[in-house]
Amino acid sequence: MRHAQGFVLLKENRYDPARILAALQRDWGIVPDAGDALSVSETTLMFNVNGLLCSVALMPAPVPGGEAERVALNAAFHYCRWDAVGAARRHQAHLLVVVMPLGGDAASPVAVMSLYSKLVCACLHDDNALGIYTSGTVFAPAFYRDACDGLRHGELPVMAWVFIGVYHLLDADGSSAYTIGLEQFGKMELEILASRHDVSELHAFLCGICAYLIANDVTLHDGETIGFSEDEKLAITRSPRVAGVAAETLKIAY
């Protein structure tokens, strides 16, 4: 994984780097590496933690091209039912939050994403934050922080790392679902099409699959099967996407 990146949507063009650093230390016990340069300015905060570069940059304008508003529809029409579109439309500036390995150092995607999520949570503690645009959608600050709370106990915040969209087309039989975010971990995105299961079951099933793939660094392939029991063998096929953003996805016959 090269880097993790997201955008904290802001009401006003301001940020408080000291508050971010204090929240990181207070909530997560994270301080910049000793001996490394800590760069703080009116627009940029940069520091290193365990061989990873952390950067928070204040951008004095909305996310370009109306992108935040478009992806906010994912939250509006799916399980994260809050006014994501309204938050995206109101934002006047944003923080570009990036965590990446330094130089040629290797770091696991889970390590990079874990530090990234903790840094995002520190940014979201400011009441100037409207939401976080990451993993293909816009999350409410409280939802994202709650989802990441399990990191304190070694639990992976799959709900914050992978967006799972569920839908039912009026002219189609069954319910369908898709993921956005697995590519951050070097995995292909997943889809389930025209399933007999309802949308809540699809969401729970895909959440379990994503957690398994990320925690165990498992890669699925076309032609394989997957299941949660010895008797469950669900076929996996690779083909162009029906929903989501990836060019191709792995379809699970569930």
Side-chain angles (χ1 to χ4, degrees):
M1 182 181 195
R2 288 189 228 166
H3 70 280
Q5 174 180 300
F7 308 91
V8 176
L9 310 183
L10 303 177
K11 300 175 188 176
E12 301 174 356
N13 180 35
R14 60 177 174 81
Y15 88 125
D16 188 341
R19 184 172 182 170
I20 293 171
L21 290 170
L24 268 180
Q25 182 172 7
R26 180 189 68 242
D27 297 339
W28 303 103
I30 294 174
V31 296
D33 289 346
D36 285 317
L38 170 64
S39 175
V40 183
S41 74
E42 293 182 355
T43 58
T44 306
L45 168 64
M46 296 183 67
F47 56 94
N48 300 335
V49 175
N50 296 329
L52 297 174
L53 171 65
C54 300
S55 172
V56 178
L58 176 63
M59 303 296 180
V63 177
E67 184 178 340
E69 290 91 332
R70 288 197 302 274
V71 301
L73 293 172
N74 285 336
F77 293 121
H78 296 289
Y79 61 93
C80 303
R81 299 199 178 277
W82 72 291
D83 189 16
V85 175
R89 287 175 178 164
R90 291 196 307 274
H91 86 285
Q92 299 299 309
H94 64 281
L95 297 176
L96 172 59
V97 182
V98 178
V99 173
M100 66 175 67
L102 285 167
D105 291 344
S108 72
V110 169
V112 174
M113 284 296 294
S114 295
L115 180 56
Y116 163 77
S117 290
K118 293 171 184 178
L119 180 56
V120 166
C121 286
C123 294
L124 291 175
H125 268 291
D126 194 322
D127 60 8
N128 191 35
L130 288 165
I132 170 66
Y133 166 24
T134 189
S135 298
T137 193
V138 177
F139 293 107
F143 178 94
Y144 191 88
R145 292 198 307 267
D146 287 347
C148 292
D149 192 62
L151 283 168
R152 305 175 192 278
H153 316 292
E155 300 170 3
L156 302 185
V158 175
M159 293 283 285
W161 289 354
V162 181
F163 176 76
I164 300 173
V166 291
Y167 62 97
H168 179 84
L169 299 178
L170 295 178
D171 59 349
D173 293 331
S175 302
S176 301
Y178 62 92
T179 68
I180 301 177
L182 280 175
E183 287 187 335
Q184 300 173 115
F185 301 91
K187 317 298 180 187
M188 287 193 68
E189 303 294 352
L190 305 176
E191 284 191 89
I192 297 173
L193 302 176
S195 173
R196 69 184 185 279
H197 300 278
D198 64 32
V199 292
S200 62
E201 290 176 306
L202 293 188
H203 184 273
F205 176 80
L206 275 183
C207 192
I209 292 291
C210 291
Y212 168 73
L213 298 181
I214 295 169
N216 298 283
D217 193 19
V218 172
T219 300
L220 302 179
H221 300 94
D222 184 27
E224 294 180 340
T225 62
I226 192 171
F228 285 123
S229 68
E230 292 183 3
D231 298 328
E232 189 175 45
K233 297 186 183 300
L234 307 174
I236 299 171
T237 56
R238 177 173 178 167
S239 62
R241 76 163 190 263
V242 174
V245 298
E248 290 188 314
T249 61
L250 294 177
K251 314 294 190 298
I252 301 178
Y254 176 61

